[in-house]
Amino acid sequence: MKWHFEDFIYGAFDGSVTTFAIVAGAIGASLSPMIVVILGFANLFADGFSMAVGNYQASKARAEFIQKERKREEWEIEHMVESEKREIRDIYEKKGFTADLLDEIVRVITSRKKVWVDTMMKEELGLIEDGRRPLDTAASTMFGFVIIGIIPLIPFLIIYVTGVSLNSESFFYSVISTSVAFFLIGIIKGRIVKKSLIRSGMITLLIGAIAASVAYLIGVLLAGLIS
Amino acid sequence: MKWHFEDFIYGAFDGSVTTFAIVAGAIGASLSPMIVVILGFANLFADGFSMAVGNYQASKARAEFIQKERKREEWEIEHMVESEKREIRDIYEKKGFTADLLDEIVRVITSRKKVWVDTMMKEELGLIEDGRRPLDTAASTMFGFVIIGIIPLIPFLIIYVTGVSLNSESFFYSVISTSVAFFLIGIIKGRIVKKSLIRSGMITLLIGAIAASVAYLIGVLLAGLIS
C-alpha cells in the first residue's frame, strides 16, 4: 500500500467543504446536535466512499489509456519501421546529438524493442507508467476525506456528548473547526512541496473559505426556494 | 482549455452516486418532487464546485511537487557533478549502450543542462511535466459532475414539470436513470481506452450500482438513528 499525497489532499479538501456545508445547513435548519453529527457522518462515509470509487475508476482509465498507447506504439514499430526510426532520430537530434553518434544511438535503441517503445512513450507521448495503483489512490482519497473531513464535526461531537444544546455560537464553532481543517491541509501540502508552511496553510484556508462559502450559499439559496 | 477525460470520469461518477443517494433519500422521506429537484441541484452545484476546487488544489500540489524535484535535480547537477554523471551513465547502460558510445552519450547529455535535468526527471524519477493545467482538470471534473450527475434527476424534473406526484414507481425511475448515467460513463471510458463499449458500460454500471447502494444504505442506516 502506497500513499498518494495529491489524492489525499483532494479527498481532504472535498471532505471538509461538504461536511461544513452540511453542518452549517443543519444549524440553519435548527436541527439537534445529534442530527448534525449523524448527517455529518453520513456524508463522510457515503460521499467519501463514492469519491474513492470515482477515483478508482479514473485511475484505472488512466492506466488503461497508457496501456492502449503502448500497444499502439508496439504495433507501429513493427509496421511502420522507418517512420518510427525517424522519430527516434528526431528525439535524439533535439537532445544535441549529430552525425555518426546519432546514427549509432538510433541503431542501438531500435535494436531493442522494449527500449524503443519506452523511449517513444516517454519522449514522444509524455506518458510514464507510474505504477499508481487504483486501489492505493482510491484509499488515499477516502482516508483524506474521512480523517480531515471529520474536523468540522468535532465541536458538534463535543456538544452532543456533553449534552449542551446548539446556540448562536454553534455556527462560529463550525467556521473555526473548518478553518483548522483547511489550514492543516495547506500545511500538509506545504511540507510535501517544500514551501512555507504558514503561507501554504493561509492560501488553502483562503481558497477553502471561498469554496465552503459558495457551497453553503448555494444550499441556503435553494433551501429558500423550498420554504 | 483542454479537457482531461480521467477528471471528467471522476466527477461524472461521483456526481451520479451522490445525486442518486440524495434523490433516493428524499423519496424515502416522502418529500415533494420539487424538493427532490432542489436538493439534487444543490448537490450538483455545491458538491460539484467543491470537488472542482479540491481537484485544482491536488493538481497544483502535483505541479509544485514536480517543480520542486526539478529544482533539486538542478542543484544536484551543479553540486554533485560526478555522481549525477554516473547516474546518466547507469541509465544509458541499462538501455544497452556500452564502451565509447556510452562515454560519448554521457558527454553530450551532460554538456546541456536542460537535457541533463530532463533526462534525470524522466528516467530516474519517472516525472513528466505533463502540462496538466489545474484550471483545466478542475473544469473537466465539474463539467462531468454536473452534466452526467444531472441524469438521475431527469425523471424528477419531468415529474415536477408535468405536475404528477411521486408514487411507488419513483424509486424505480431513479434507479433506471442512475443506471443510464453509469452505463454512459462506461461507454465514454470504453471509447477512450479503446475497449468494448458494451463491456465497459456494464462493468461501470456494476461498480456504480455497488457504490450507489453503499451510499444509499449508509444514509438509510443513519437516518434510522435519527427517527
Side-chain angles (χ1 to χ4, degrees), chain A residues 84-159:
Chain A
E84 292 297 299
K85 275 191 181 168
R86 178 83 234 165
E87 285 178 4
I88 292 289
R89 169 175 285 272
D90 291 347
I91 287 164
Y92 275 85
E93 207 167 8
K94 283 211 189 81
K95 289 188 199 288
F97 294 96
T98 52
D100 289 355
L101 184 55
L102 183 56
D103 289 340
E104 269 305 285
I105 289 173
V106 173
R107 191 187 59 75
V108 174
I109 287 181
T110 58
S111 70
R112 290 181 158 204
K113 199 176 151 182
K114 188 179 175 303
V115 176
W116 193 352
V117 173
D118 279 348
T119 307
M120 299 303 293
M121 292 289 287
K122 280 183 206 161
E123 307 279 350
E124 188 200 10
L125 305 175
L127 294 176
I128 284 183
E129 281 124 327
D130 51 10
R132 278 166 59 89
R133 291 192 310 154
L135 273 181
D136 292 348
T137 62
S140 301
T141 291
M142 177 126 191
F143 185 65
F145 199 100
V146 173
I147 208 79
I148 304 289
I150 203 175
I151 297 176
L153 266 187
I154 291 174
F156 300 91
L157 277 170
I158 296 170
I159 290 173

Coordinates of all heavy atoms in Angstrom, one line a residue, chain A residues 84-159:
Chain A
E84 N 9.1 5.3 -37.6 CA 9.4 5.2 -36.1 C 10.9 5.4 -35.8 O 11.2 6.0 -34.8 CB 8.9 3.9 -35.5 CG 7.3 3.7 -35.6 CD 6.6 4.8 -34.7 OE1 6.8 4.8 -33.5 OE2 5.8 5.5 -35.3
K85 N 11.7 4.9 -36.7 CA 13.2 5.1 -36.5 C 13.5 6.6 -36.7 O 14.3 7.2 -36.0 CB 14.0 4.3 -37.6 CG 14.3 2.9 -37.2 CD 15.2 2.3 -38.1 CE 15.5 0.8 -37.7 NZ 16.2 0.0 -38.7
R86 N 12.8 7.2 -37.7 CA 12.9 8.6 -37.9 C 12.6 9.4 -36.7 O 13.2 10.4 -36.3 CB 12.0 9.0 -39.1 CG 11.9 10.4 -39.5 CD 13.0 10.8 -40.5 NE 13.7 12.0 -40.0 CZ 14.9 12.4 -40.4 NH1 15.5 11.8 -41.3 NH2 15.4 13.5 -39.9
E87 N 11.5 9.0 -36.0 CA 11.1 9.7 -34.8 C 12.1 9.6 -33.7 O 12.4 10.6 -33.0 CB 9.7 9.1 -34.3 CG 8.6 9.6 -35.2 CD 7.2 9.1 -34.8 OE1 7.1 8.4 -33.8 OE2 6.2 9.4 -35.5
I88 N 12.8 8.4 -33.5 CA 13.8 8.3 -32.5 C 15.0 9.2 -32.9 O 15.6 9.9 -32.0 CB 14.3 6.8 -32.5 CG1 13.3 5.9 -31.9 CG2 15.6 6.7 -31.6 CD1 13.0 6.0 -30.4
R89 N 15.3 9.3 -34.2 CA 16.4 10.2 -34.7 C 16.0 11.6 -34.3 O 16.9 12.3 -33.8 CB 16.5 10.0 -36.2 CG 17.4 11.0 -36.9 CD 17.6 10.7 -38.3 NE 18.5 9.6 -38.5 CZ 19.8 9.7 -38.6 NH1 20.4 11.0 -38.5 NH2 20.6 8.7 -38.7
D90 N 14.8 12.0 -34.6 CA 14.4 13.4 -34.3 C 14.5 13.7 -32.8 O 15.0 14.8 -32.4 CB 12.9 13.7 -34.7 CG 12.8 13.7 -36.2 OD1 13.8 13.7 -36.9 OD2 11.6 13.6 -36.7
I91 N 14.1 12.7 -31.9 CA 14.1 12.9 -30.5 C 15.6 13.2 -30.0 O 15.8 14.1 -29.2 CB 13.5 11.7 -29.8 CG1 12.0 11.7 -29.9 CG2 13.9 11.7 -28.3 CD1 11.3 10.3 -29.6
Y92 N 16.5 12.3 -30.5 CA 17.9 12.5 -30.1 C 18.6 13.6 -30.8 O 19.6 14.1 -30.2 CB 18.6 11.1 -30.2 CG 18.4 10.3 -28.9 CD1 17.2 9.5 -28.8 CD2 19.2 10.4 -27.8 CE1 17.0 8.8 -27.7 CE2 19.0 9.7 -26.7 CZ 17.8 8.9 -26.6 OH 17.6 8.3 -25.4
E93 N 18.1 14.0 -31.9 CA 18.7 15.2 -32.6 C 18.4 16.4 -31.7 O 19.3 17.3 -31.5 CB 18.1 15.4 -33.9 CG 19.0 16.1 -34.9 CD 18.6 16.0 -36.4 OE1 17.4 15.5 -36.6 OE2 19.3 16.5 -37.2
K94 N 17.2 16.5 -31.2 CA 16.8 17.6 -30.3 C 17.6 17.6 -29.0 O 17.8 18.7 -28.4 CB 15.3 17.5 -29.9 CG 14.4 17.9 -31.1 CD 13.1 18.5 -30.5 CE 12.1 18.7 -31.7 NZ 11.3 17.5 -32.0
K95 N 18.1 16.5 -28.6 CA 18.9 16.4 -27.4 C 20.4 16.9 -27.6 O 21.2 17.0 -26.7 CB 19.0 15.0 -26.8 CG 17.7 14.5 -26.2 CD 18.0 13.2 -25.5 CE 16.7 12.4 -25.2 NZ 15.8 12.9 -24.2
G96 N 20.7 17.1 -28.9 CA 22.0 17.7 -29.3 C 23.0 16.7 -29.9 O 24.1 17.0 -30.1
F97 N 22.5 15.5 -30.3 CA 23.3 14.5 -30.9 C 23.3 14.7 -32.5 O 22.3 15.1 -33.0 CB 22.9 13.1 -30.6 CG 23.0 12.8 -29.2 CD1 22.0 12.9 -28.3 CD2 24.2 12.3 -28.7 CE1 22.1 12.6 -26.9 CE2 24.4 12.0 -27.3 CZ 23.3 12.1 -26.5
T98 N 24.5 14.5 -33.1 CA 24.6 14.7 -34.6 C 25.4 13.6 -35.2 O 26.0 12.8 -34.5 CB 25.2 16.0 -34.9 OG1 26.5 16.1 -34.2 CG2 24.4 17.2 -34.6
A99 N 25.4 13.6 -36.5 CA 26.3 12.7 -37.3 C 26.3 11.2 -36.9 O 25.3 10.7 -36.7 CB 27.7 13.3 -37.3
D100 N 27.6 10.6 -36.9 CA 27.7 9.2 -36.6 C 27.2 8.8 -35.3 O 26.6 7.7 -35.1 CB 29.2 8.8 -36.7 CG 29.7 8.9 -38.1 OD1 28.9 9.1 -39.0 OD2 30.9 8.7 -38.3
L101 N 27.4 9.7 -34.3 CA 27.0 9.3 -32.9 C 25.4 9.2 -32.9 O 24.9 8.2 -32.3 CB 27.4 10.5 -32.0 CG 27.1 10.3 -30.5 CD1 27.6 9.0 -29.9 CD2 27.6 11.5 -29.7
L102 N 24.7 10.1 -33.6 CA 23.3 10.0 -33.7 C 22.9 8.7 -34.4 O 21.9 8.0 -33.9 CB 22.7 11.2 -34.5 CG 21.2 11.3 -34.7 CD1 20.5 11.3 -33.3 CD2 20.9 12.6 -35.5
D103 N 23.5 8.3 -35.5 CA 23.2 7.1 -36.2 C 23.4 5.9 -35.3 O 22.5 5.0 -35.2 CB 24.2 6.9 -37.4 CG 23.9 7.8 -38.5 OD1 22.8 8.4 -38.6 OD2 24.9 8.1 -39.3
E104 N 24.5 5.9 -34.5 CA 24.7 4.8 -33.6 C 23.6 4.6 -32.5 O 23.2 3.5 -32.2 CB 26.1 5.0 -32.9 CG 27.2 4.3 -33.6 CD 27.0 2.8 -33.9 OE1 27.1 2.1 -32.9 OE2 26.7 2.5 -35.0
I105 N 23.2 5.8 -32.0 CA 22.2 5.8 -30.9 C 20.9 5.2 -31.5 O 20.3 4.3 -30.8 CB 22.0 7.2 -30.4 CG1 23.2 7.7 -29.5 CG2 20.7 7.3 -29.6 CD1 23.1 9.1 -29.1
V106 N 20.5 5.7 -32.7 CA 19.3 5.2 -33.3 C 19.4 3.7 -33.5 O 18.4 2.9 -33.2 CB 19.0 5.9 -34.6 CG1 17.8 5.2 -35.4 CG2 18.8 7.4 -34.4
R107 N 20.6 3.2 -33.9 CA 20.8 1.8 -34.2 C 20.6 1.0 -32.9 O 19.8 0.0 -32.8 CB 22.2 1.5 -34.8 CG 22.4 0.1 -35.3 CD 23.8 -0.2 -35.7 NE 24.8 0.0 -34.6 CZ 24.9 -0.9 -33.6 NH1 24.2 -2.0 -33.5 NH2 25.8 -0.6 -32.7
V108 N 21.2 1.4 -31.8 CA 21.2 0.7 -30.5 C 19.7 0.7 -30.0 O 19.2 -0.4 -29.6 CB 22.1 1.2 -29.5 CG1 22.0 0.5 -28.1 CG2 23.6 1.0 -30.0
I109 N 19.1 1.8 -29.9 CA 17.7 1.9 -29.3 C 16.7 1.1 -30.1 O 16.0 0.3 -29.6 CB 17.3 3.4 -29.2 CG1 18.0 4.1 -28.1 CG2 15.8 3.5 -29.0 CD1 17.7 5.5 -27.9
T110 N 16.8 1.2 -31.5 CA 15.8 0.4 -32.3 C 16.2 -1.1 -32.4 O 15.4 -1.8 -33.0 CB 15.7 1.1 -33.7 OG1 17.0 1.0 -34.3 CG2 15.2 2.5 -33.6
S111 N 17.3 -1.5 -31.8 CA 17.6 -2.9 -31.8 C 17.0 -3.6 -30.6 O 17.0 -4.8 -30.5 CB 19.1 -3.1 -31.8 OG 19.6 -2.8 -30.5
R112 N 16.4 -2.9 -29.7 CA 15.8 -3.5 -28.5 C 14.4 -2.9 -28.4 O 14.1 -1.8 -28.1 CB 16.5 -3.1 -27.2 CG 17.8 -3.6 -27.0 CD 18.4 -3.1 -25.7 NE 19.4 -4.0 -25.2 CZ 19.7 -4.1 -23.9 NH1 19.0 -3.3 -23.0 NH2 20.7 -4.8 -23.5
K113 N 13.4 -3.9 -28.6 CA 12.0 -3.4 -28.7 C 11.5 -2.7 -27.5 O 10.9 -1.6 -27.6 CB 11.1 -4.7 -29.0 CG 9.8 -4.4 -29.5 CD 9.0 -5.7 -29.8 CE 7.5 -5.4 -29.7 NZ 6.7 -6.6 -29.9
K114 N 11.9 -3.2 -26.3 CA 11.4 -2.5 -25.1 C 11.9 -1.1 -24.9 O 11.2 -0.2 -24.6 CB 11.7 -3.4 -23.9 CG 11.0 -2.8 -22.6 CD 11.3 -3.6 -21.4 CE 10.6 -3.0 -20.2 NZ 11.1 -1.6 -19.9
V115 N 13.2 -1.0 -25.2 CA 13.8 0.4 -25.0 C 13.2 1.3 -26.1 O 12.9 2.5 -25.8 CB 15.4 0.3 -25.2 CG1 16.0 1.6 -25.2 CG2 16.0 -0.6 -24.2
W116 N 13.0 0.8 -27.3 CA 12.4 1.6 -28.4 C 11.0 2.1 -28.0 O 10.8 3.3 -28.0 CB 12.3 0.7 -29.6 CG 12.0 1.5 -30.9 CD1 11.7 2.8 -31.1 CD2 12.1 0.9 -32.2 NE1 11.5 3.0 -32.4 CE2 11.7 1.9 -33.1 CE3 12.3 -0.4 -32.7 CZ2 11.6 1.7 -34.5 CZ3 12.3 -0.6 -34.1 CH2 11.9 0.4 -35.0
V117 N 10.2 1.2 -27.5 CA 8.8 1.6 -27.1 C 8.8 2.5 -25.9 O 8.1 3.5 -25.9 CB 7.9 0.3 -26.8 CG1 6.6 0.7 -26.3 CG2 7.7 -0.5 -28.1
D118 N 9.6 2.2 -24.9 CA 9.8 3.1 -23.7 C 10.1 4.5 -24.1 O 9.6 5.5 -23.6 CB 10.9 2.5 -22.8 CG 10.4 1.4 -21.9 OD1 9.1 1.2 -21.9 OD2 11.2 0.7 -21.3
T119 N 11.1 4.6 -25.1 CA 11.5 5.9 -25.5 C 10.4 6.7 -26.2 O 10.2 7.9 -25.9 CB 12.8 5.8 -26.4 OG1 13.8 5.0 -25.8 CG2 13.3 7.2 -26.8
M120 N 9.7 6.0 -27.1 CA 8.5 6.6 -27.7 C 7.5 7.1 -26.7 O 6.9 8.2 -26.8 CB 7.9 5.7 -28.7 CG 8.8 5.2 -29.8 SD 9.5 6.5 -30.8 CE 8.0 7.2 -31.6
M121 N 7.2 6.2 -25.7 CA 6.2 6.6 -24.7 C 6.6 7.8 -24.0 O 5.8 8.8 -23.8 CB 6.0 5.4 -23.7 CG 5.4 4.2 -24.3 SD 3.7 4.3 -24.7 CE 3.0 4.3 -23.0
K122 N 7.8 7.8 -23.4 CA 8.3 9.0 -22.6 C 8.5 10.2 -23.4 O 8.1 11.3 -23.0 CB 9.6 8.6 -21.9 CG 9.4 7.7 -20.7 CD 10.7 7.5 -20.0 CE 10.6 6.2 -19.2 NZ 11.9 5.6 -18.9
E123 N 9.2 10.1 -24.5 CA 9.7 11.3 -25.2 C 8.7 11.8 -26.2 O 8.6 13.0 -26.4 CB 11.0 11.0 -26.0 CG 12.1 10.4 -25.1 CD 12.8 11.4 -24.2 OE1 12.6 12.6 -24.5 OE2 13.6 11.0 -23.3
E124 N 8.0 10.9 -26.9 CA 7.0 11.4 -27.9 C 5.7 11.7 -27.3 O 5.1 12.7 -27.5 CB 6.8 10.3 -29.0 CG 6.0 10.9 -30.2 CD 5.3 9.8 -31.0 OE1 5.4 8.6 -30.6 OE2 4.8 10.1 -32.1
L125 N 5.2 10.8 -26.4 CA 3.8 10.9 -25.9 C 3.8 11.6 -24.5 O 2.7 12.0 -24.0 CB 3.1 9.6 -25.9 CG 3.1 8.8 -27.2 CD1 2.4 7.4 -27.0 CD2 2.3 9.6 -28.2
G126 N 5.0 11.6 -23.8 CA 5.0 12.1 -22.5 C 4.2 11.3 -21.5 O 3.6 11.8 -20.5
L127 N 4.2 10.0 -21.7 CA 3.5 9.1 -20.9 C 4.4 8.2 -20.1 O 5.3 7.6 -20.7 CB 2.5 8.2 -21.7 CG 1.4 8.9 -22.3 CD1 0.6 7.9 -23.2 CD2 0.4 9.6 -21.3
I128 N 4.3 8.1 -18.8 CA 5.1 7.2 -17.9 C 4.1 6.3 -17.2 O 3.2 6.7 -16.6 CB 5.9 8.0 -17.0 CG1 7.1 8.6 -17.7 CG2 6.4 7.1 -15.8 CD1 8.1 9.4 -16.8
E129 N 4.5 5.0 -17.3 CA 3.7 4.0 -16.4 C 4.2 4.2 -15.0 O 5.1 3.6 -14.6 CB 3.9 2.6 -16.9 CG 3.1 2.2 -18.2 CD 4.0 1.7 -19.3 OE1 5.2 2.2 -19.4 OE2 3.6 0.8 -20.0
D130 N 3.5 5.1 -14.3 CA 4.0 5.5 -13.0 C 3.6 4.5 -11.9 O 3.9 4.8 -10.7 CB 3.5 6.9 -12.6 CG 2.0 7.0 -12.8 OD1 1.3 6.0 -13.0 OD2 1.5 8.2 -12.7
G131 N 2.9 3.4 -12.2 CA 2.6 2.4 -11.2 C 1.7 2.9 -10.1 O 1.7 2.4 -9.0
R132 N 0.9 4.0 -10.4 CA -0.1 4.4 -9.4 C -1.2 3.4 -9.4 O -2.0 3.4 -10.3 CB -0.7 5.8 -9.9 CG 0.2 7.0 -9.5 CD -0.3 8.2 -10.3 NE -1.7 8.6 -10.0 CZ -2.1 9.3 -9.0 NH1 -1.3 9.9 -8.2 NH2 -3.4 9.6 -8.9
R133 N -1.3 2.6 -8.4 CA -2.3 1.5 -8.4 C -3.6 2.1 -8.0 O -3.7 2.8 -6.9 CB -1.9 0.4 -7.5 CG -0.7 -0.4 -8.0 CD -0.5 -1.7 -7.3 NE -0.5 -1.4 -5.8 CZ -0.8 -2.3 -4.9 NH1 -1.2 -3.5 -5.2 NH2 -0.7 -2.0 -3.6
P134 N -4.7 1.9 -8.8 CA -6.0 2.4 -8.5 C -6.5 2.2 -7.0 O -7.0 3.2 -6.4 CB -6.9 1.7 -9.4 CG -6.1 1.5 -10.6 CD -4.7 1.1 -10.0
L135 N -6.2 1.1 -6.4 CA -6.6 0.8 -5.0 C -5.9 1.8 -4.1 O -6.5 2.3 -3.1 CB -6.4 -0.6 -4.6 CG -7.5 -1.6 -5.0 CD1 -7.2 -3.0 -4.5 CD2 -8.9 -1.1 -4.4
D136 N -4.6 2.1 -4.3 CA -3.9 3.0 -3.5 C -4.4 4.4 -3.6 O -4.6 5.1 -2.6 CB -2.4 3.0 -3.8 CG -1.7 1.6 -3.5 OD1 -2.3 0.8 -2.8 OD2 -0.6 1.4 -4.0
T137 N -4.6 4.9 -4.8 CA -5.1 6.3 -4.9 C -6.5 6.4 -4.4 O -6.8 7.4 -3.7 CB -5.1 6.7 -6.4 OG1 -6.0 5.9 -7.2 CG2 -3.7 6.6 -7.0
A138 N -7.3 5.4 -4.6 CA -8.7 5.5 -4.0 C -8.6 5.5 -2.5 O -9.3 6.3 -1.8 CB -9.5 4.3 -4.5
A139 N -7.8 4.6 -1.9 CA -7.7 4.6 -0.4 C -7.1 5.9 0.1 O -7.6 6.4 1.2 CB -6.8 3.4 0.0
S140 N -6.2 6.5 -0.6 CA -5.6 7.8 -0.1 C -6.7 8.9 -0.1 O -6.8 9.7 0.8 CB -4.5 8.2 -1.1 OG -3.5 7.3 -1.1
T141 N -7.6 8.9 -1.1 CA -8.7 9.8 -1.2 C -9.6 9.6 -0.1 O -10.0 10.6 0.6 CB -9.4 9.7 -2.5 OG1 -8.5 10.2 -3.6 CG2 -10.7 10.6 -2.5
M142 N -10.1 8.4 0.1 CA -11.1 8.1 1.2 C -10.5 8.5 2.6 O -11.2 9.1 3.4 CB -11.5 6.7 1.1 CG -12.5 6.3 2.2 SD -14.0 5.6 1.6 CE -15.0 5.6 3.1
F143 N -9.2 8.1 2.8 CA -8.6 8.4 4.1 C -8.6 9.9 4.3 O -8.9 10.4 5.4 CB -7.2 7.8 4.1 CG -6.5 7.9 5.4 CD1 -6.9 7.3 6.5 CD2 -5.3 8.7 5.5 CE1 -6.3 7.4 7.8 CE2 -4.7 8.8 6.7 CZ -5.2 8.2 7.9
G144 N -8.2 10.7 3.3 CA -8.1 12.1 3.4 C -9.5 12.7 3.7 O -9.7 13.6 4.6
F145 N -10.5 12.2 3.0 CA -11.9 12.6 3.1 C -12.4 12.4 4.6 O -12.9 13.4 5.1 CB -12.8 11.8 2.2 CG -14.1 12.5 1.9 CD1 -14.3 13.2 0.7 CD2 -15.2 12.4 2.7 CE1 -15.5 13.8 0.4 CE2 -16.4 13.0 2.5 CZ -16.6 13.7 1.3
V146 N -12.1 11.3 5.1 CA -12.7 10.9 6.4 C -11.9 11.6 7.6 O -12.4 12.2 8.5 CB -12.8 9.4 6.6 CG1 -13.2 9.1 8.1 CG2 -13.7 8.8 5.7
I147 N -10.5 11.5 7.5 CA -9.7 11.9 8.6 C -9.6 13.4 8.7 O -9.6 14.0 9.9 CB -8.3 11.3 8.5 CG1 -7.6 11.1 9.9 CG2 -7.4 12.1 7.6 CD1 -8.1 9.9 10.6
I148 N -9.7 14.2 7.6 CA -9.7 15.6 7.7 C -11.1 16.1 7.7 O -11.4 17.1 8.4 CB -8.9 16.2 6.5 CG1 -7.5 15.7 6.5 CG2 -8.9 17.8 6.6 CD1 -6.6 16.1 7.6
G149 N -12.0 15.5 6.9 CA -13.4 15.9 6.8 C -14.1 15.8 8.1 O -15.2 16.4 8.3
I150 N -13.6 15.0 9.1 CA -14.3 14.9 10.3 C -14.0 16.1 11.3 O -14.8 16.4 12.2 CB -13.8 13.6 11.1 CG1 -14.9 13.2 12.1 CG2 -12.5 13.8 11.7 CD1 -14.6 11.8 12.7
I151 N -13.0 16.9 11.0 CA -12.6 18.0 11.8 C -13.8 19.0 12.0 O -14.0 19.4 13.2 CB -11.3 18.7 11.3 CG1 -10.1 17.7 11.4 CG2 -11.0 19.9 12.2 CD1 -8.8 18.2 10.9
P152 N -14.5 19.4 10.9 CA -15.6 20.4 11.1 C -16.7 19.8 12.0 O -17.5 20.5 12.5 CB -16.1 20.6 9.7 CG -15.0 20.3 8.8 CD -14.2 19.2 9.5
L153 N -16.7 18.5 12.2 CA -17.7 17.8 13.0 C -17.3 17.8 14.5 O -18.2 17.7 15.4 CB -17.9 16.4 12.6 CG -19.0 16.1 11.6 CD1 -19.1 14.6 11.4 CD2 -20.4 16.7 12.0
I154 N -16.0 17.9 14.8 CA -15.6 17.7 16.2 C -16.3 18.5 17.3 O -16.8 18.0 18.3 CB -14.0 17.8 16.3 CG1 -13.4 16.7 15.5 CG2 -13.6 17.9 17.7 CD1 -11.9 16.8 15.4
P155 N -16.5 19.8 17.0 CA -17.2 20.6 18.1 C -18.6 20.1 18.4 O -19.1 20.1 19.5 CB -17.4 22.0 17.5 CG -16.4 22.1 16.3 CD -16.1 20.7 15.9
F156 N -19.3 19.5 17.3 CA -20.6 19.0 17.5 C -20.6 17.7 18.2 O -21.6 17.3 18.9 CB -21.3 19.0 16.1 CG -21.4 20.3 15.5 CD1 -20.4 20.8 14.7 CD2 -22.4 21.2 15.9 CE1 -20.4 22.1 14.2 CE2 -22.4 22.5 15.4 CZ -21.4 22.9 14.6
L157 N -19.6 16.9 18.0 CA -19.4 15.7 18.8 C -19.3 16.0 20.2 O -19.9 15.4 21.1 CB -18.1 14.9 18.3 CG -18.3 14.0 17.1 CD1 -16.9 13.5 16.6 CD2 -19.2 12.8 17.4
I158 N -18.5 17.1 20.5 CA -18.3 17.5 21.9 C -19.6 18.0 22.5 O -20.0 17.6 23.6 CB -17.2 18.6 22.0 CG1 -15.8 18.0 21.6 CG2 -17.1 19.2 23.4 CD1 -14.7 19.0 21.4
I159 N -20.3 18.9 21.7 CA -21.6 19.4 22.1 C -22.6 18.3 22.4 O -23.3 18.3 23.4 CB -22.2 20.4 21.1 CG1 -21.4 21.7 21.0 CG2 -23.6 20.7 21.4 CD1 -21.7 22.6 19.9

